[in-house]
């Protein structure tokens, strides 16, 4: 079983280098989300997209996130998020898209995944070519 510290490199290895195939990354991400991580009590998965200027430049972000609640000696320590984030130049079409969906709002993780795949935001963006994919983990 992998640990929270290992999840970023583990997912990067699963996805591979220099990919911009959103559907392929999504399938890999879904499989990864079903794998157990040491100490994980609940699956906390987020799908979000929208135009943001986190980097000082307005870009459209399509983000698949797995969130981990970390405990040390049975005490809450912190939360970490592992992001699979595609970046795009904002277009008129993309500028109208914005959503945030959490897996905890669904009884089963597959129901969440099916819902995401039915969203217009996912359908539109999954066929586009991103500027790049960034996979990173951070404390939130």
């Amino acid at each position: 079983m992998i640990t929270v510290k290992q999840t970023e490199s583990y997912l990067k290895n699963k996805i591979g280098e220099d990919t911009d195939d959103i559907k392929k990354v999504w399938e890999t991400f879904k499989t990864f989300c079903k794998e157990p991580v040491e100490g994980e009590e609940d699956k906390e998965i987020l799908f979000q997209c929208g135009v943001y200027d986190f980097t000082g430049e307005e870009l459209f972000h399509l983000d698949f996130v797995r969130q981990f609640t970390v405990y040390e000696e049975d005490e809450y320590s912190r939360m970490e998020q592992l992001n699979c984030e595609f970046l795009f130049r904002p277009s008129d079409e993309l500028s109208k898209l914005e959503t945030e969906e959490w897996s905890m709002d669904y009884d089963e993780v597959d129901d969440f995944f099916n819902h995401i795949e039915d969203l217009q935001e996912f359908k539109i963006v999954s066929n586009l070519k991103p500027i790049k994919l960034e996979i990173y983990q951070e404390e939130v």
Side-chain angles (χ1 to χ4, degrees), residues 98-125:
E98 186 172 347
T99 193
E100 181 178 292
E101 299 279 340
W102 282 97
S103 63
M104 293 86 77
D105 295 333
Y106 297 83
D107 291 332
E108 300 292 329
V109 72
D110 283 329
D111 294 338
F112 169 74
F113 292 142
N114 290 334
H115 172 73
I116 298 305
E117 292 167 1
D118 285 340
L119 291 174
Q120 278 303 111
E121 291 86 349
F122 182 83
K123 289 178 181 179
I124 291 169
V125 178

Side-chain angles (χ1 to χ4, degrees), residues 63-78:
D63 202 3
F64 311 144
V65 180
R66 186 166 175 184
Q67 180 170 275
F68 305 99
T69 303
V70 179
Y71 295 89
E72 293 176 6
E73 298 178 20
D74 295 331
E75 294 287 323
Y76 172 81
S77 174
R78 67 192 177 280

Side-chain angles (χ1 to χ4, degrees), residues 22-23 26 47-52 60-64 86 88 91-101 106 113-129:
I22 295 169
K23 290 177 182 175
W26 173 245
F47 171 85
Q48 61 185 353
C49 67
V51 175
Y52 308 104
F60 181 85
H61 297 251
L62 173 69
D63 202 3
F64 311 144
F86 289 95
F88 302 82
S91 64
D92 288 343
E93 182 178 39
L94 291 179
S95 295
K96 296 175 188 170
L97 303 178
E98 186 172 347
T99 193
E100 181 178 292
E101 299 279 340
Y106 297 83
F113 292 142
N114 290 334
H115 172 73
I116 298 305
E117 292 167 1
D118 285 340
L119 291 174
Q120 278 303 111
E121 291 86 349
F122 182 83
K123 289 178 181 179
I124 291 169
V125 178
S126 66
N127 292 311
L128 300 177
K129 188 162 181 78

Side-chain angles (χ1 to χ4, degrees), residues 1-11 137:
M1 184 180 308
I2 63 172
T3 65
V4 171
K5 284 186 178 185
Q6 297 168 323
T7 55
E8 181 179 351
S9 61
Y10 182 80
L11 184 59
Q137 189 160 328

Side-chain angles (χ1 to χ4, degrees), residues 2-3 6-8 10-12 14-15 25-37 40 43 45 65-68 82 84 113 137:
I2 63 172
T3 65
Q6 297 168 323
T7 55
E8 181 179 351
Y10 182 80
L11 184 59
K12 283 180 176 178
K14 288 245 179 222
I15 289 174
V25 171
W26 173 245
E27 291 303 318
T28 303
F29 182 79
K30 289 192 315 185
T31 301
F32 164 71
C33 285
K34 292 180 180 183
E35 294 181 30
V37 172
E40 184 178 47
K43 298 283 186 205
I45 306 161
V65 180
R66 186 166 175 184
Q67 180 170 275
F68 305 99
L82 176 57
C84 245
F113 292 142
Q137 189 160 328

